[in-house]
Amino acid sequence: MYNHILNNIAKHISLDKEETDHFISFLKPRKVSRKELILQQGEICKYINFVDSGILRAYYPDKTGKQSTIMFAVTDWWITDMFCFIHQQPAMLTIEAIEESIILQLSKESLDNLYIRIPKFETFFRIIFQNAYIREQLRTIQNLSLPAEERYQIFRDKYPQVIRQITQKQIASYLGITPEFLSMIRANKHKK
Amino acid sequence: MYNHILNNIAKHISLDKEETDHFISFLKPRKVSRKELILQQGEICKYINFVDSGILRAYYPDKTGKQSTIMFAVTDWWITDMFCFIHQQPAMLTIEAIEESIILQLSKESLDNLYIRIPKFETFFRIIFQNAYIREQLRTIQNLSLPAEERYQIFRDKYPQVIRQITQKQIASYLGITPEFLSMIRANKHKK
C-alpha cells in the first residue's frame, strides 16, 4: 500500500522505522472511482494528495461552466489547489479522477505537525515545491514562446500515459487552445 | 545594507547573531545599472538573487529575437532561472535591470552549504518555493480562464510600481498578447 509513497520520499530524505510509522499514521488512503471528485470548487481544500495509482485532473470551472485544465497528476505525483490548501480556504479548483485511482491524503494539520516532529520533511517539501515551481516556470516559458504545435508535442512526451485516457477537449484546455485548433494540429501531424 | 533581506527572512524563521553573520558572509552585493544584464541566456546560472532595491525583468529570448517576459521582481523578491540554477546549467532566461538596482546574490554552493549548516533555511526556502509555486499556479489559472482585460487589471494591481517603469511591449509579452491588443485595452479603459 505504501511502497510508492515511501519510494517517492526516499528519493530525497531517509526515514528510520519510527519516522516511517509516524508518517504513515497521517495518511488517509482513498479509492476513487472514474469521474469521482476529490475536491470541488467552493469546498475548503483540506488535503494534499499523493497519487498511488491512476490519473487525476485539476481544472478551474468558470461561471459559464467552461473548464480550464490546470494540471494532470499521474502515479507518483502530488496534487492539490496549493493556494487554498496552504490558507485553508474554499477551493478555486475542482479535482476529478480520470480513471479509477488510489490516493493518499495528507491534511494541512498533519503536514504542519510533520514539519515539527520530523524536520527532514521541510527538506522533502522544499524539494517538491522547488520542482513544482520549476515545472510551472518552464510551462510559462513554453506557453509564451512556443507555437501550439510544439506545446502539444511536449505534452505528448511528458504525459504519454495521460494522452490515451483524456478527451481532446481536456488536452486543448490544458494547452489554452480550442478543441478545433487541436484537432487541426493532430490532423496535420498524421499527414506528415 | 542587509536590512531588507534580514526582514524578508525574519518573516518565516528567526536567526541568532552567529547564524545571521554566517548567512550574510554568503551574500554578494551587486549594484546594477539600468539595462545591465545580471544573467544572459546561455551562461551557467550561478545565483539566486534577492532584490534589495530596484526592478528586474526575466525574459526568454527566442531564436527570432522575440522576448517573452516570464517575471518581474521588485524590492523584497527573489529571482532566478530556477531550473538552470538548481541544475547549474546554461540559462534559458536573460535577466536585466529595468532601473538602477541593488541585488544580493547567493550561489548554489552557498545555498547548499546553508541548508546543511543552518537547517532553518530549509523551512525558509520551503515557504519561498511554496509561495512561488502558488503564484505560478494562480497565473496559469488566470491565463487559461480570464480575458486579457482582466489579466491586465490584475497585473496593474499586483505591480503598481512596475507599471510606470516598463514599456507597453514588455507588459504585453508578460500577458501573452500583442502590444497592439494591449494598446486597445488601455484605450478602452480610458474611454470608460
Side-chain angles (χ1 to χ4, degrees), chain A residues 137-138 141, chain B residues 38-47 49 58-61 80-95:
Chain A
Q137 201 176 51
L138 289 174
I141 295 173
Chain B
I38 64 160
L39 176 67
Q40 194 155 10
Q41 190 183 54
E43 272 177 23
I44 298 297
C45 178
K46 288 191 193 141
Y47 301 108
N49 308 283
Y59 61 89
Y60 175 80
T80 189
D81 177 332
M82 194 52 77
F83 177 84
C84 299
F85 172 70
I86 292 298
H87 301 288
Q88 291 290 285
Q89 286 192 5
M92 288 174 286
L93 302 181
T94 292
I95 305 181

Side-chain angles (χ1 to χ4, degrees), chain A residues 67-108:
Chain A
Q67 298 179 358
S68 301
T69 299
I70 305 307
M71 71 179 289
F72 297 97
V74 295
T75 300
D76 215 32
W77 281 57
W78 294 85
I79 185 170
T80 189
D81 178 332
M82 194 53 76
F83 177 84
C84 299
F85 172 69
I86 293 297
H87 302 288
Q88 290 290 286
Q89 287 192 4
M92 288 175 285
L93 302 181
T94 292
I95 305 181
E96 68 162 9
I98 284 185
E99 55 176 41
E100 187 179 285
S101 303
I102 293 170
I103 58 172
L104 301 171
Q105 300 192 298
L106 188 60
S107 71
K108 177 67 166 45

Side-chain angles (χ1 to χ4, degrees), chain A residues 82 122-123 126 137 140, chain B residues 82 122-123 126 136-137 140:
Chain A
M82 194 53 76
E122 291 280 12
T123 305
R126 189 261 301 166
Q137 201 176 51
T140 301
Chain B
M82 194 52 77
E122 291 279 13
T123 304
R126 189 261 300 165
E136 293 302 313
Q137 201 176 53
T140 301

